[in-house]
């Protein structure tokens, strides 16, 4: 009997040993496969990055003598005191305050690693380096060392426009600037876009006009920034070919989303500008107090249009006199012209400037298609947060 017990115990041990050995072999095989997969993925990643770096270096070489200085990464660390003071952050990366050797303050933009194949870096360097305008941010330098990509801009002491129009109690009466300054800011942005579309030696479409990308200097002079999604158009063709959708939700023109609304052109920037101006004047606040909150989808330009058509007050906060009332009315009418669903009905930025500097009495109210009709229904997504989804 003892012999039987010993025999069965030995069999059990042999089976257990075989099972352990089999499980161990399986685990080792899985671990080996994971390591091989990781190594292949890492190899593909570095191969892609090497090709990306070669592409950017080729671009910098073919771009000719750069008007802006190229810095080494150690110089960037020194000018920012090892990235001590953070100014902002977005989908592109982070911005830090820095100081050049001559004492000039700068904004240092660190581009994060992305899947854009270096397109965002190339877009910014190639487009901004071609510009020189009071309403376009100035690129002072850049750094490119492997995966480290940095852009160095003039420092704008009043930050981005969104910090002023999205903060609590940000009605014109509570802002650091009043309606007259608000008007000057919208006019300056219009001048900047007109320059990009017609003034510089090549047509540049920005594709991401929004409050976050409008910077303000110490005198609240606006400057268009962030050309990561920009597209340079050779010649003067009006319609461009674009395979991908780019822009920020809430500001993207209908034709960029769906081709049936028309071709993509500089009029796409005009649409974004119109949505920006509507937001600047605080139109969203009026709707929040003037419509039924049970409606989750409200095309708010329709609401403003109906008020203007009936010659009713739009009820904006902070209007203290007739002059401010006329400024608000002018900005709203111009913005309604800019957000026409049909691109051909939108004015050029040159015409927008004319409308802004002209009298409000000379402006007519455009015909707006109802959101329940053929135009795109836009969800009222203009919130008081500072986050917007950017797509590429």
């Amino acid at each position: 009997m003892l012999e039987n017990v010993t025999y069965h115990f030995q069999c059990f041990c042999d089976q257990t040993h075989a099972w352990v050995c089999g499980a161990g072999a399986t685990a080792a095989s899985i671990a080996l496969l994971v390591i091989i997969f990781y190594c292949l993925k890492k190899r593909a990643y570095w191969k892609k990055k090497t090709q990306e770096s070669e592409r950017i270096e080729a671009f910098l070489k073919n771009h000719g003598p750069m008007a802006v200085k190229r810095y080494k990464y150690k110089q960037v660390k020194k000018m920012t005191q090892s990235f001590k003071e953070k100014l902002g952050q977005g989908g592109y990366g982070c911005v830090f305050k820095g100081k050049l050797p001559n004492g000039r303050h700068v904004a240092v933009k660190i581009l994060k690693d992305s899947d854009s194949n270096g397109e965002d870096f190339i877009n910014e360097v190639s487009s901004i380096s071609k510009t020189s305008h009071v309403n376009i941010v100035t690129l002072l330098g850049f750094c490119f060392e492997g995966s480290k990509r940095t852009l160095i801009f003039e420092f704008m002491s009043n930050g981005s426009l969104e910090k002023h129009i999205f903060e609590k109690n940000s009605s014109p009466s509570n802002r650091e600037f009043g309606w007259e300054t608000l008007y000057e800011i919208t006019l300056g942005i219009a001048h900047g876009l007109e320059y990009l579309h017609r003034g510089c030696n090549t047509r540049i479409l920005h594709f991401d006009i929004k409050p976050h990308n409008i910077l303000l200097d110490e005198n609240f002079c606006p400057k268009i920034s962030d050309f990561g999604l920009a597209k340079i158009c050779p010649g003067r063709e009006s319609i461009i070919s674009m395979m991908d959708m780019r822009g920020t939700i809430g500001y993207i023109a209908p034709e960029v989303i769906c081709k049936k609304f028309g071709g993509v052109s500089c009029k796409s920037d005009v649409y974004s500008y119109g949505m920006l101006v509507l937001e600047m004047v605080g139109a969203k606040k009026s709707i929040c107090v003037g419509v039924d909150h049970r409606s989750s989808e409200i095309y708010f330009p329709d609401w403003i249009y109906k008020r203007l058509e009936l010659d009713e007050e739009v009820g904006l906060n902070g209007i203290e006199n007739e002059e401010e009332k006329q400024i608000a009315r002018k900005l709203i009418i111009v913005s309604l012209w800019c957000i026409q669903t049909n691109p051909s009905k939108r004015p050029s930025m040159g015409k927008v400037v004319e409308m802004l500097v002209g009298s409000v009495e000379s402006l007519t109210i455009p015909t707006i298609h109802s959101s329940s009709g053929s135009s795109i229904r836009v969800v009222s997504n203009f919130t008081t947060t500072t986050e917007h989804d950017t797509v590429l």
Side-chain angles (χ1 to χ4, degrees), residues 252-259 261 271 339-341 346 376:
I252 304 176
E255 66 273 13
V256 178
I257 300 174
C258 181
K259 293 182 180 179
F261 290 99
Y271 181 93
I339 63 170
Q340 296 286 299
T341 302
R346 299 173 204 153
I376 283 184

Side-chain angles (χ1 to χ4, degrees), residues 42-52 54:
K42 202 71 174 177
R43 181 182 178 184
Y45 171 81
W46 286 114
K47 182 179 180 180
K48 178 184 176 183
K49 288 302 174 184
T50 299
Q51 294 174 341
E52 186 176 311
E54 292 174 350

Side-chain angles (χ1 to χ4, degrees), residues 249-251 271 275 278-279 282-293 295-304 371 376-385 388:
I249 296 172
Y251 303 90
Y271 181 93
M275 298 301 280
L278 274 181
E279 196 163 26
K284 168 256 173 189
K285 285 182 170 52
S286 298
I287 293 172
C288 284
V289 299
V291 301
D292 188 348
H293 285 275
S295 176
S296 60
E297 288 190 349
I298 172 77
Y299 189 58
F300 69 86
D302 280 356
W303 183 86
I304 298 175
S371 60
I376 283 184
R377 176 179 292 273
V378 178
V379 178
S380 180
N381 60 353
F382 287 87
T383 65
T384 54
T385 65
H388 289 271

Side-chain angles (χ1 to χ4, degrees), residues 293-321:
H293 285 275
R294 291 174 296 179
S295 176
S296 60
E297 288 190 349
I298 172 77
Y299 189 58
F300 69 86
D302 280 356
W303 183 86
I304 298 175
Y305 170 73
K306 290 175 182 177
R307 298 293 288 264
L308 290 177
E309 192 177 37
L310 296 173
D311 199 25
E312 297 178 350
E313 295 289 340
V314 292
L316 294 174
N317 296 324
I319 295 180
E320 299 179 353
N321 51 53

Side-chain angles (χ1 to χ4, degrees), residues 155-161 163-164 176 216-220:
F155 176 71
M156 306 292 283
S157 58
N158 274 310
S160 62
L161 178 62
K163 293 181 179 179
H164 297 275
E176 298 177 57
L216 303 172
D217 69 8
E218 65 276 9
N219 298 315
F220 290 99

Side-chain angles (χ1 to χ4, degrees), residues 73-87 94-101 106-110 150-152:
Y73 190 68
K74 64 179 182 180
Q75 292 176 301
V76 174
K77 289 186 66 176
K78 184 177 181 180
M79 73 175 64
T80 59
Q81 295 182 306
S82 296
F83 312 106
K84 180 180 179 180
E85 186 176 349
K86 189 176 181 179
L87 298 176
C94 299
V95 178
F96 298 88
K97 187 175 182 179
K99 182 186 290 187
L100 297 179
V106 292
V108 180
K109 182 178 180 180
I110 309 296
T150 303
L151 300 169
I152 302 168

Side-chain angles (χ1 to χ4, degrees), residues 32-281:
L32 181 61
L33 288 174
V34 170
I35 293 173
I36 293 174
F37 176 77
Y38 174 80
C39 291
L40 291 175
K41 186 175 181 180
K42 202 71 174 177
R43 181 182 178 184
Y45 171 81
W46 286 114
K47 182 179 180 180
K48 178 184 176 183
K49 288 302 174 184
T50 299
Q51 294 174 341
E52 186 176 311
S53 296
E54 292 174 350
R55 177 171 178 258
I56 294 177
E57 285 290 2
F59 157 75
L60 295 175
K61 180 180 179 180
N62 296 331
H63 202 65
M66 298 296 294
V68 295
K69 183 178 179 179
R70 182 170 182 172
Y71 290 88
K72 295 182 178 180
Y73 190 68
K74 64 179 182 180
Q75 292 176 301
V76 174
K77 289 186 66 176
K78 184 177 181 180
M79 73 175 64
T80 59
Q81 295 182 306
S82 296
F83 312 106
K84 180 180 179 180
E85 186 176 349
K86 189 176 181 179
L87 298 176
Q89 181 173 349
Y92 53 81
C94 299
V95 178
F96 298 88
K97 187 175 182 179
K99 182 186 290 187
L100 297 179
N102 62 8
R104 181 175 183 176
H105 289 289
V106 292
V108 180
K109 182 178 180 180
I110 309 296
L111 297 178
K112 72 176 184 179
D113 195 10
S114 67
D115 296 326
S116 67
N117 197 28
E119 183 181 358
D120 50 355
F121 179 85
I122 291 175
N123 280 350
E124 293 234 36
V125 174
S126 62
S127 56
I128 301 183
S129 63
K130 296 178 182 295
T131 65
S132 178
H133 192 273
V134 66
N135 297 120
I136 306 295
V137 70
T138 302
L139 179 67
L140 301 175
F142 69 94
C143 167
F144 173 66
E145 288 184 15
S147 61
K148 297 178 175 63
R149 292 149 202 190
T150 303
L151 300 169
I152 302 168
F153 298 99
E154 60 179 320
F155 176 71
M156 306 292 283
S157 58
N158 274 310
S160 62
L161 178 62
E162 55 91 11
K163 293 181 179 179
H164 297 275
I165 66 175
F166 286 137
E167 63 186 9
K168 293 181 180 180
N169 300 321
S170 61
S171 66
S173 61
N174 294 321
R175 294 174 185 151
E176 298 177 57
F177 48 82
W179 279 98
E180 185 175 350
T181 304
L182 192 72
Y183 163 76
E184 293 296 334
I185 291 174
T186 61
L187 181 59
I189 300 170
H191 277 301
L193 278 174
E194 180 190 21
Y195 168 78
L196 292 177
H197 294 171
R198 297 183 60 86
C200 54
N201 56 6
T202 184
R203 187 190 298 267
I204 300 176
L205 306 189
H206 189 277
F207 282 115
D208 204 17
I209 295 297
K210 59 182 179 181
H212 302 63
N213 294 338
I214 305 299
L215 303 180
L216 303 172
D217 69 8
E218 65 276 9
N219 298 315
F220 290 99
C221 174
K223 294 178 185 285
I224 300 172
S225 70
D226 200 338
F227 285 68
L229 301 183
K231 190 173 181 65
I232 297 176
C233 306
R236 291 292 177 182
E237 64 267 24
S238 57
I239 304 298
I240 66 170
S241 175
M242 193 171 67
M243 300 301 295
D244 56 348
M245 184 179 77
R246 56 181 64 192
T248 297
I249 296 172
Y251 303 90
I252 304 176
E255 66 273 13
V256 178
I257 300 174
C258 181
K259 293 182 180 179
K260 76 174 185 178
F261 290 99
V264 176
S265 68
C266 59
K267 295 295 186 69
S268 303
D269 278 348
V270 175
Y271 181 93
S272 300
Y273 172 82
M275 298 301 280
L276 166 67
V277 174
L278 274 181
E279 196 163 26
M280 286 175 64
V281 299

Side-chain angles (χ1 to χ4, degrees), residues 341-369:
T341 302
N342 187 339
S344 64
K345 293 185 178 181
R346 299 173 204 153
S348 66
M349 288 310 304
K351 181 62 177 178
V352 168
V353 171
E354 291 181 14
M355 295 167 72
L356 288 173
V357 299
S359 64
V360 67
E361 291 80 11
S362 65
L363 298 178
T364 59
I365 301 174
T367 300
I368 301 291
H369 293 292

